[in-house]
Amino acid sequence: MSDHLSQIVAARVSDPGAIAAAAARRLKAASPLGEHGKAMIVAADHPARGANRVGTDPSAMADRSRLLDRLCIALDRPGVTGVLATADILEDLLLLGVLDGKSVFGSMNRAGLAGSVFEIDDRFTGYDAATIAAMGFDGGKMLTRIALQDPVTPSVLENTARAVDELNDRQLIAMVEPFISVWEDGRIRNDLSTDAVVTSVTITSGLGRRTAYTWLKLPVVDDMERVLASSSLPALLLGGEVKDADAAFASWGKALKQPTAQGLVVGRSLLYPSNGDVAGAVDRAVSLL
């Protein structure tokens, strides 16, 4: 990957326009869903929020060469339909020419830095809808944490609604990732109880003046049947950091049988599996579809 990194840096220094040119000639995906009728999207927008930890390694995702190497392996596996990341990473992948035929989603709000006192105040510091459209991408993703005791939450909801509107106006997918979140001992914790996830779904499903292009990105929790029955919006299942791979795959497989479940958006658990086998982890996830 060192050669690839040199290639990227050379282009950024001597020919920055190569990024836009690569985006313009990229072969777009016909659909966000693959031949199996489901999406398999690899997520890599964690570093921009300062969330570089994987397992016991606090800086695993901070090694860009290593991250790009793993993304290239994942994107080359049969059944992988797309990628979700911030502009810096997506531009690297464009320069490497590995996004042909893939759906591409830009991460929009990353200001809620992991572990910060302002983590809920997650302002839009990444992609905007206009740039996502100009790059020929398929949509944008917004993390939407709802902390009932935090006065910043209405602004979070308003900003998400605005992004939903702007993406819908351009007929691009608005991928909303909602959580009910609580402050505990100075840190934010996402409430992954079934009731809390259902509440987050019902709140975010109503954001925006149109929802024709709104999709949800949801954690897999107990009683996913009830979670996925709480909205008619298409839903993608997120992976998060997986400690028990067998249990995670079993829960994903069960949830994918629900009619609103349209696939998976998984990052660290596929890019940094405990056994180091990225291709094997990706293939196993694809087999669930």
Side-chain angles (χ1 to χ4, degrees):
M1 178 52 72
S2 58
D3 291 341
H4 286 162
L5 199 59
S6 297
Q7 170 191 338
I8 290 167
V9 174
R12 287 184 175 276
V13 171
S14 62
D15 186 17
I19 293 169
R25 66 173 177 266
R26 182 179 71 89
L27 299 176
K28 299 178 184 178
S31 164
L33 306 180
E35 294 179 356
H36 35 56
K38 301 284 187 183
M40 177 67 250
I41 299 167
V42 180
D45 62 341
H46 314 73
R49 206 171 64 80
N52 293 307
R53 176 180 292 277
V54 179
T56 59
D57 186 345
S59 59
M61 294 193 77
D63 185 323
R64 180 53 58 88
S65 181
R66 184 183 179 201
L67 174 59
L68 290 174
D69 189 20
R70 289 163 181 261
L71 279 167
C72 287
I73 292 171
L75 287 166
D76 193 47
R77 301 308 300 167
V80 173
T81 63
V83 63
L84 159 66
T86 45
D88 56 329
I89 293 173
L90 291 182
E91 290 171 358
D92 287 350
L93 295 174
L94 281 169
L95 290 170
L96 293 176
V98 297
L99 296 184
D100 281 347
K102 306 298 183 185
S103 58
V104 181
F105 297 89
S107 187
M108 302 179 76
N109 59 326
R110 297 282 82 186
L113 303 183
S116 67
V117 296
F118 52 84
E119 190 165 349
I120 288 296
D121 193 6
D122 203 355
R123 303 180 191 184
F124 281 61
T125 56
Y127 276 109
D128 58 20
T131 304
I132 290 169
M135 295 294 284
F137 295 160
D138 298 84
K141 171 250 182 175
M142 59 228 69
L143 176 61
T144 306
R145 286 168 294 187
I146 303 160
L148 300 181
Q149 70 273 50
D150 194 312
V152 175
T153 294
S155 295
V156 172
L157 296 174
E158 182 181 28
N159 290 335
T160 295
R162 184 178 299 113
V164 167
D165 289 340
E166 292 174 354
L167 289 164
N168 267 260
D169 288 347
R170 293 168 171 83
Q171 298 182 3
L172 297 170
I173 292 173
M175 188 189 298
V176 184
E177 180 180 6
F179 291 99
I180 299 295
S181 302
V182 295
W183 284 104
E184 289 183 352
D185 299 323
R187 298 184 68 86
I188 278 292
R189 177 184 66 82
N190 295 328
D191 186 342
L192 298 180
S193 66
T194 303
D195 286 342
V197 177
V198 167
T199 299
S200 74
V201 169
T202 61
I203 292 171
T204 52
S205 293
L207 294 176
R209 59 177 178 261
R210 294 190 183 97
T211 62
Y213 293 88
T214 302
W215 290 35
L216 301 174
K217 179 174 181 271
L218 302 176
V220 177
V221 298
D222 292 338
D223 200 359
M224 278 304 289
E225 292 84 355
R226 186 155 68 90
V227 171
L228 292 170
S230 62
S231 173
S232 58
L233 298 178
L236 298 166
L237 310 177
L238 67 89
E241 188 166 1
V242 171
K243 296 180 180 179
D244 185 336
D246 290 338
F249 280 96
S251 62
W252 293 342
K254 182 179 179 182
L256 283 166
K257 294 181 172 63
Q258 301 304 306
T260 54
Q262 300 301 305
L264 298 170
V265 183
V266 186
R268 288 169 291 186
S269 58
L270 296 187
L271 295 174
Y272 298 86
S274 58
N275 63 2
D277 182 4
V278 176
V282 172
D283 291 348
R284 185 178 180 188
V286 169
S287 72
L288 299 174
L289 307 178

